[in-house]
Amino acid sequence: MALAFDEYGRPFIILKEQDQKTRLRGIEAQKANISAGKAVARILRTSLGPKGMDKILQSPDGDVTITNDGATILEQMDVDNQIAKLMVELSRSQDYEIGDGTTGVVVMAGALLDQAERLLERGIHPIRIAEGYEMASRIAVEHLEHISKKFDFGATNIEPLVQTCMTTLSSKIVNRCKCHLAEISVKAVLSVADLDRKDVNLDMIKVEGKVGGKLEDTELIYGITVDKDMSHPQMPKQIEDAKIAILTCPFEPPKPKTKHKVDIDTVEKFQTLRLQEQKYFDDMVQKCKDAGATLVICQWGFDDEANHLLMHRNLPAVRWVGGVELELIAIATGGRIVPRFQELTPEKLGRAGLVREKSFGTTKDKMLYIEHCANSRAVTIFIRGGNKMMIEETKRSIHDALCVARNLIRNNSIVYGGGSAEISCSIAVEAAADKYPGVEQYAIRAFADALDSVPMALAENSGLQPIETLSEVKSQQIKENNPHYGIDCNDVGTNDMRQQDVFETLIGKQQQILLATQVVKMILKIDDVISPSDY
Amino acid sequence: MAIEKILKDDATEEKGERARMASFVGAIAITDLIKTTLGPKGMDKILQSTGRGHGITVTNDGATILKSLHIDNPAAKVLIDISKVQDDEVGDGTTSVVVLAGELLREAEKLVAAKIHPMTIISGYRMAAECARSALLQRVVDNKENAEKFKSDLMKIAMTTLSSKILSQDKEHFAQLAVDAVMRLKGSTNLEAIQIIKKPGGSLKDSFLDEGFILDKKIGLGQPKRIENAKILVANTAMDTDKVKIYGARVRVDSMSKVAEIEGAEKEKMREKVQKIIAHGINCFVNRQLIYNFPEELFADAGILAIEHADFDGIERLALVTGGEIASTFDNPESVKLGHCKVIEEIMIGEDKLIHFSGVEMGQACTIVLRGASHHVLDEAERSLHDALCVLSQTVNDTRVLLGGGWPEMIMAKEVDELARKTPGKKSHAIEAFSRALVAIPTIIADNAGLDSADLVAQLRAAHHKEGCNAGIDVISGSVGDMAELGISESFKVKQAVLLSATEAAEMILRVDEIITCAPRQREDRM
């Protein structure tokens, strides 16, 4: 730790408890930061692309997650280094904003850092590098816009959307039935999408999973599922044209909040109280009946007697439904949540075309399906799968696919995948570099090299010769002036991504480049790291 | 410049070869552990729990063994998971699925060592699994049309399943039990209607199937021990002291006489309730909650059989089989559905008295009473029987049947081998490895039986070279035999599930190239 001295030569303490802190400065700090960032990128590099490998993550409690989703890996890795945390943030913000390409963005940032390190060694100032990167990223984003394609789809023509979702899903473990899942995702997004406003509220799509069955059994439900069953085993399992009373009050005698006592001192009082009690139950059920409800969904429990009375009056009921689910049901069925029996009126009932109970496997699991709701925009994707890890991974994959479909609805421009967009940008940036006077030129060229690293990683993960393949594709692109050539990861036999139908969203790609550049700029600008040393 | 560590202090990170190695080692260790239980001559394991009492389980059911293990290796956890799912879905083949996945990984390890990329192996395995499945599909026998033949198929499957379990001595007896029970279900897979009651004492041979429902309860004192044409009210209501449910109510009196009065009123209330129940015109009353002496006496007076404290499952099942509804209020006797059965009587099994409902409305229900020397035997017998019942009920739905004794594996191996020869590229190595993994299963079965596996499997392979051969390993005589003649069959559904989920699990583990273990959560010491 460097010490400062005052004019008399005495040591001068600047930081509080200075000797207990470690401090890295200048080029040292930058190099340490870069190597930390690169280390994170290296972990993710092998997960990129359709042939990317998975990681096993064991959480602090011993649970196992198997995934190749970049954001999930970083999230669960529980990193300690500050710069590594920045990379985690980077992947997370890509996840929030776009939902897909979370691995790519980190790999991109890692490559940029790698290039920056070399430039630093040559003595170029970090700020100049950062500025060069900024210019290069602008060129790349513009170029992407230039090579992007609009593509058409409508409520009836969903095939292009399904294709895009399939590209996303093909890198996940669920790629065995990617077609089925892609179709489900697209249908789910379209059913909640507002095509005029080009907006999709993903909150309306609930993704639920249950262990058991096959991945192929995954289905899209136009409605809501609740992990509950009817309160009485003999209530009807299926209700058509249900009118649903959504209650937050228990089927029990009232419990006033104020402290009170009812004293029983005579036999008469005892009997009146008993009668009163019976009347309560009768009244409650009667009120539901009067309002015309054919199904009662209640947040609380029922007394045995109330349960039987409901059963007796042929009024099926569900108890102990969680608050969130209750709200969802209320939204979907267009009903109102009623806190008191007195306020129950026919207008406040929710409506659903079909409510049914479904049981699974050899175990006794039951779920309640509420379908064909009045406000049918809420949908549920119900995932089945071999084991819990599979379901969790499928949930993440579906989330990615949903996000992609949403992005396409917002903005229907696409670029071709398989690294073709990166290669094309790299060529464009390289060509533009020569026009810039000054040191930035070097940074811009470095940026072009960094762009190459994504297709390179793709080729490497697919078991191809990275340098050979890349140079071949690049020369092909320049020779034929066709930006659609990419890495043939699946060994199909053609390099033309247009024929392979591999594409990604334009905003996703642009966002990747912008976010990666931003983070790298941030890391490069740090020249002093002060941290408490290990005690 | 050394890279600073990115992860927290206690976290570990294993990469590339090391990670793959860790998962292979874990998975293969689990396979080796469980592989000796495979087949009709497989051995059992003793499991001792670490909890209080050190309870002991003796079993050779794969899922049960794996469920009780505490494993730290993530790959091993994946295998345990597939075995659990196999148990939930089809009920049998829990050992086979783990062994097959383990063998697939063992072969994959060799391929990886020979510098073949895991992704290539995976795509080879996928092709092989698809090919194996279609090979099985071509050879399945479907006797759905012929009820007589189908029943004998079921019987064979049950015997094959049971032959690897503790029940193998009496497998014919139990296979008959299981088939009869499942046939009663008439195609539904709801095993809840089959009740299994375990009573220590006697021998396994004394186990029997009862057409009716047995409730493990006693009949109240002084009440009839036998009722014909019973009308049953199934209830869930308080028959002790009927509490006042209004919040805040309490009794406050100022003299002894008032206490007596209120007590009288309470009694009166209970009497009224009992009267209301009796007014339903019943002669049997089953309650989930306790029945106190006073109401019990009243029931006895009215000549009604009252059964108290039946557990919740028992109540639901009773309501299901007798066709009654579970009642909690008794004001409208005319609209409450009563359950019916022909005879209710008290029977003795061993030294225990049980209540037997026969001639119930729903003919699907039945009860299997297991007898045996000790609790361990009974527990294992129940698990074995459960396996058999699961397999049978699944087979009733999917009536396709295969031969057993290593026959399906050899058929698949042969087809997969053919495919390997036809496939160009590195994948063919993986496909070949898949066929080797399949052959490992008959090898293990033979090994476990103490036979010369190398010789037998070679003979078997030669025999399978001919078209349409039914050869498999006959463990009893220790030679290659005709499985169709020996009557060894297996359900297609089980085999298919084994094949697909083993491949899926192997694939999942192969795809991994890095294991990151987070620092264990610090637990606060409670000092």
Side-chain angles (χ1 to χ4, degrees), chain A residues 46 54-56 58 61-62 78 80 176 232 234 261-262 264-265 274 277 308 312 362 386-387, chain B residues 6 8 77 81 85 88 245 250 252 269 324-326 328-329 335 504 511 513-514 516 518 521:
Chain A
T46 52
D54 291 4
K55 313 276 177 229
I56 289 185
Q58 203 159 14
D61 300 321
D78 200 11
D80 209 19
R176 191 160 43 91
H232 196 287
Q234 286 160 327
K261 286 195 181 81
V262 182
I264 301 172
D265 48 8
R274 218 185 79 212
E277 184 188 299
H308 180 248
H312 202 83
T362 54
N387 52 46
Chain B
I6 309 173
K8 291 223 170 105
K77 279 188 187 159
D81 229 40
V85 172
D88 288 348
K245 283 169 193 151
R250 62 169 185 177
R252 183 173 237 169
K269 186 179 164 192
E325 75 177 53
I326 301 173
S328 293
T329 55
S335 62
E504 201 167 278
R511 280 173 70 104
D513 76 334
E514 183 152 340
I516 297 168
C518 293
R521 198 181 294 286

Side-chain angles (χ1 to χ4, degrees), chain A residues 99-202:
Chain A
D100 188 32
T102 50
T103 317
V105 69
V106 176
V107 172
M108 180 76 208
L112 286 174
L113 286 173
D114 191 34
Q115 294 294 336
E117 195 177 15
R118 286 186 208 162
L119 295 177
L120 280 177
E121 269 163 19
R122 289 198 192 172
I124 298 179
H125 194 271
I127 297 293
R128 305 295 287 269
I129 303 176
E131 268 164 23
Y133 277 1
E134 181 70 44
M135 287 175 200
S137 72
R138 231 174 292 143
I139 302 169
V141 168
E142 268 165 33
H143 182 71
L144 277 179
E145 197 119 9
H146 180 66
I147 61 168
S148 72
K149 285 249 153 56
K150 294 266 174 205
F151 86 152
D152 296 320
F153 64 88
T156 47
N157 177 21
I158 59 168
E159 203 44 43
L161 280 177
V162 175
Q163 289 286 356
T164 324
C165 286
M166 262 159 72
T167 311
T168 309
L169 290 174
S170 65
S171 67
K172 314 282 177 192
I173 196 161
V174 295
N175 63 3
R176 191 160 43 91
C177 58
K178 59 179 174 186
C179 196
H180 181 58
L181 291 182
E183 221 176 282
I184 285 180
S185 312
V186 171
K187 277 188 188 152
V189 168
L190 280 180
S191 67
V192 301
D194 188 341
L195 286 178
D196 300 329
R197 279 198 309 130
K198 294 197 170 183
D199 191 30
V200 182
N201 184 1
L202 284 189

Side-chain angles (χ1 to χ4, degrees), chain A residues 284-492:
Chain A
M284 282 187 285
V285 178
Q286 194 54 45
K287 276 194 182 112
C288 296
K289 263 290 190 212
D290 285 347
T294 54
L295 174 69
V296 178
I297 290 178
C298 184
Q299 197 176 7
W300 302 98
F302 310 151
D303 193 272
D304 285 341
E305 268 180 54
N307 201 0
H308 180 248
L309 274 175
L310 285 168
M311 156 78 196
H312 202 83
R313 297 287 194 82
N314 207 4
L315 192 59
V318 187
R319 57 181 153 182
W320 298 121
V321 178
V324 183
E325 279 152 340
L326 210 65
E327 259 171 52
L328 264 176
I329 293 172
I331 294 172
T333 60
R336 293 263 297 277
I337 297 177
V338 180
R340 265 184 288 273
F341 284 101
Q342 289 80 1
E343 291 169 17
L344 204 60
T345 54
E347 305 84 67
K348 288 181 180 170
L349 298 179
R351 271 154 220 279
L354 181 66
V355 178
R356 64 196 166 103
E357 196 181 273
K358 200 175 168 187
S359 48
F360 299 101
T362 54
T363 44
K364 289 193 273 182
D365 276 344
K366 280 177 192 148
M367 297 269 278
L368 205 65
Y369 284 44
I370 302 173
E371 289 172 294
H372 308 299
C373 304
N375 181 3
S376 72
R377 309 220 317 156
V379 295
T380 306
I381 296 176
F382 188 60
I383 301 171
R384 308 300 313 276
N387 52 46
K388 210 173 89 212
M389 294 164 219
M390 195 76 186
I391 290 198
E392 288 303 312
E393 180 66 3
T394 312
K395 267 191 196 170
R396 284 189 286 270
S397 312
I398 293 247
H399 168 251
D400 283 8
L402 290 177
C403 289
V404 168
R406 177 195 60 179
N407 293 340
L408 278 175
I409 287 173
R410 279 195 188 153
N411 181 352
N412 63 350
S413 306
I414 51 147
V415 291
Y416 285 90
S420 64
E422 280 89 353
I423 299 175
S424 170
C425 281
S426 156
I427 297 170
V429 172
E430 183 89 51
D434 297 337
K435 289 176 207 147
Y436 282 86
V439 190
E440 282 87 356
Q441 199 185 91
Y442 280 85
I444 295 174
R445 269 202 208 110
F447 192 92
D449 283 346
L451 277 171
D452 280 347
S453 73
V454 172
M456 198 108 97
L458 271 179
E460 218 171 288
N461 291 343
S462 315
L464 303 168
Q465 291 288 340
I467 300 177
E468 249 173 56
T469 321
L470 180 62
S471 44
E472 194 183 312
V473 172
K474 214 168 186 178
S475 73
Q476 224 173 349
Q477 279 211 5
I478 295 177
K479 219 185 290 167
E480 300 178 26
N481 196 17
N482 179 352
H484 306 319
Y485 287 114
I487 309 288
D488 178 19
C489 300
N490 293 323
D491 217 14
V492 180

